[in-house]
């Protein structure tokens, strides 16, 4: 079985126009050739819509903010690369020798871009319903437990669950200081248990500083 | 003719499920009611895909970077608000008395969000092809000359050239306020000449708000 047939079997989709598949799998390191950047531009929007609609229907009680968080946790380089690895996209990519020697077939950015391009290509030749079917299948295979908890579980929540269970107290966060100009502020926060400081951390927002505090506290407590 | 019929005539689309239209037009200031935030979440992705695909086909020679720039110039608060004003969305919005007294029917953020929700609602009940037809029509009516030049013309540069030449002074930009959650921030900027405010505008980034300021200033000065 040749490579292209093998890949289409993994993808569970057979391209009508094989050139479109080739375009989707061609990295820009191949010069003087059409590459997958335009298809990726399109596919990025297709994936956003597919996942957005999926979450919209799946989580009818969730507000916009939660849906956005959920989508961000599914549509990002790491998550898409995970799917791309399952599809063995790296093996089927067209790239330059230099990029190949540079580990291009394993780069999350490269393979996640190719996955988006692939979905863009399927959308172009077969429409949104087919693209939806293919991508949701991949999504559910790779993320069998899609829920707000599993996907956006954060350190603050984990820390709170831990301290509530162990000492019956929720952590508190305090702003220690902020500095820097408006466009580049830095916040230093502390996390306290029963009024006693456990850890300090800085971040570019209070939220990110709190998360960093919680992570430090978890490392200390565990 | 009642309001709903009038609006649907402007939109050139008749809703099968009138509740979906009402949801799309309900601002979150109306408490204890379904509001348009979830539909806006969906519609935002629908609009991105529609415009992305439109540009993908229209500018076959353009690279991904140019397509992204073009889309950003069409899909932003100001451009969507322009379309929303043509549709008179402000008149048909459901909002609280407080928000109404606060000028809610004229706020670019409110009416552009409602427009996205509306496209999301049309997508939900009639699919991508209908949503595409409706939105591309609106796009072409409001931006008859879609091209890289016309759309990404840098108003800040034009304004600076004008003011330097006429009064020997460069415009300055000031952040007035920012609001909204991290993933959906809105910035209000002002443009000043010799310390005197010429115009204000909002945008989803400081840059886009500055561009909108510069455009307003150009309209005033010219």
């Amino acid at each position: 079985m040749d490579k292209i047939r093998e890949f289409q079997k993994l993808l569970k989709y057979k391209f009508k126009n094989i050139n479109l598949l080739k375009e989707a799998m061609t990295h820009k390191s191949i010069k003087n050739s059409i590459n997958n950047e335009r298809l990726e531009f399109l596919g990025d929007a297709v994936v956003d819509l597919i996942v957005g609609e999926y979450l919209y229907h799946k989580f009818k009680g969730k507000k916009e903010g939660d849906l956005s968080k959920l989508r961000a946790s599914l549509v990002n380089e790491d998550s898409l690369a995970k799917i791309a690895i399952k599809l063995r996209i790296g093996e089927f990519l067209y790239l330059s020798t230099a990029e190949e020697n540079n580990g291009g077939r394993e780069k999350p950015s490269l393979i996640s871009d190719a996955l988006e391009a692939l979905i863009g290509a399927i959308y172009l030749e077969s429409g949104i319903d087919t693209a939806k079917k293919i991508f949701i299948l991949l999504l559910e295979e790779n993320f069998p437990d899609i829920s707000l908890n599993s996907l956006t579980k954060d350190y603050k929540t984990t820390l709170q669950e831990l301290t509530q269970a162990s000492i019956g107290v929720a952590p508190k966060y305090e702003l220690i200081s902020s500095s820097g100009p408006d466009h580049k502020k830095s916040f230093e926060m502390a996390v306290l248990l029963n009024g006693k400081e456990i850890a300090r951390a800085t971040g570019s927002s209070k939220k990110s500083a709190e998360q960093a505090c919680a992570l430090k506290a978890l490392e200390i407590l565990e």
Side-chain angles (χ1 to χ4, degrees), chain A:
Chain A
M1 188 157 57
D2 76 334
K3 286 216 126 192
I4 286 179
R5 269 174 56 205
E6 194 184 342
F7 178 67
Q8 293 187 108
K9 220 181 151 185
L10 277 169
L11 184 61
K12 297 189 182 76
Y13 178 79
K14 196 174 173 325
F15 272 87
K16 297 164 198 163
N17 175 2
I18 211 74
N19 289 326
L20 216 46
L21 167 58
K22 286 187 180 156
E23 183 177 331
M25 298 304 256
T26 303
H27 181 249
K28 63 168 183 268
S29 60
I30 305 257
K31 301 294 176 199
N32 306 317
S33 164
I34 290 173
N35 64 45
N36 63 11
E37 289 188 301
R38 277 170 53 87
L39 281 176
E40 184 222 329
F41 165 78
L42 191 63
D44 176 78
V46 176
V47 168
D48 259 358
L49 175 56
I50 289 175
V51 178
E53 186 180 4
Y54 175 80
L55 297 171
Y56 178 91
H57 288 301
K58 190 175 171 92
F59 299 102
K60 292 197 194 297
K62 293 282 176 213
K63 294 196 168 174
E64 179 270 331
D66 285 336
L67 296 176
S68 291
K69 263 188 229 165
L70 274 163
R71 181 167 56 192
S73 70
L74 287 167
V75 185
N76 60 59
E77 194 175 286
D78 284 340
S79 302
L80 294 177
K82 189 179 167 186
I83 299 176
I85 288 166
K86 267 283 182 55
L87 283 175
R88 295 164 42 201
I89 280 182
E91 294 174 39
F92 302 100
L93 273 183
Y94 301 96
L95 30 75
S96 70
T97 315
E99 187 57 58
E100 172 136 30
N101 292 337
N102 201 19
R105 295 193 189 277
E106 282 83 44
K107 279 190 193 159
S109 62
L110 246 99
I111 58 176
S112 64
D113 284 356
L115 173 61
E116 288 185 325
L118 205 60
I119 301 299
I122 295 174
Y123 170 76
L124 267 191
E125 68 164 32
S126 295
I128 190 75
D129 290 331
T130 304
K132 220 185 273 184
K133 212 183 68 196
I134 302 283
F135 193 75
I136 294 298
L137 201 63
L138 290 168
L139 200 67
E140 292 188 331
E141 273 171 14
N142 285 279
F143 304 94
D145 177 31
I146 295 178
S147 72
L148 203 56
N149 257 348
S150 69
L151 287 171
T152 61
K153 188 155 181 173
D154 53 328
Y155 299 121
K156 279 177 70 180
T157 308
T158 310
L159 178 64
Q160 168 144 358
E161 284 165 3
L162 181 79
T163 61
Q164 289 279 17
S166 58
I167 54 169
V169 166
K172 287 209 169 109
Y173 296 85
E174 264 182 27
L175 179 66
I176 303 297
S177 65
S178 68
S179 58
D182 263 4
H183 64 283
K184 223 190 151 178
K185 269 228 174 332
S186 171
F187 298 89
E188 185 177 22
M189 305 281 307
V191 56
L192 295 86
L193 276 180
N194 275 333
K196 188 174 161 287
E197 186 177 316
I198 305 295
R200 278 188 190 199
T202 55
S204 60
S205 69
K206 289 182 191 169
K207 223 175 206 168
S208 68
E210 285 174 2
Q211 286 291 343
C213 280
L215 176 57
K216 277 193 184 174
L218 280 169
E219 287 167 355
I220 292 165
L221 297 175
E222 284 172 348

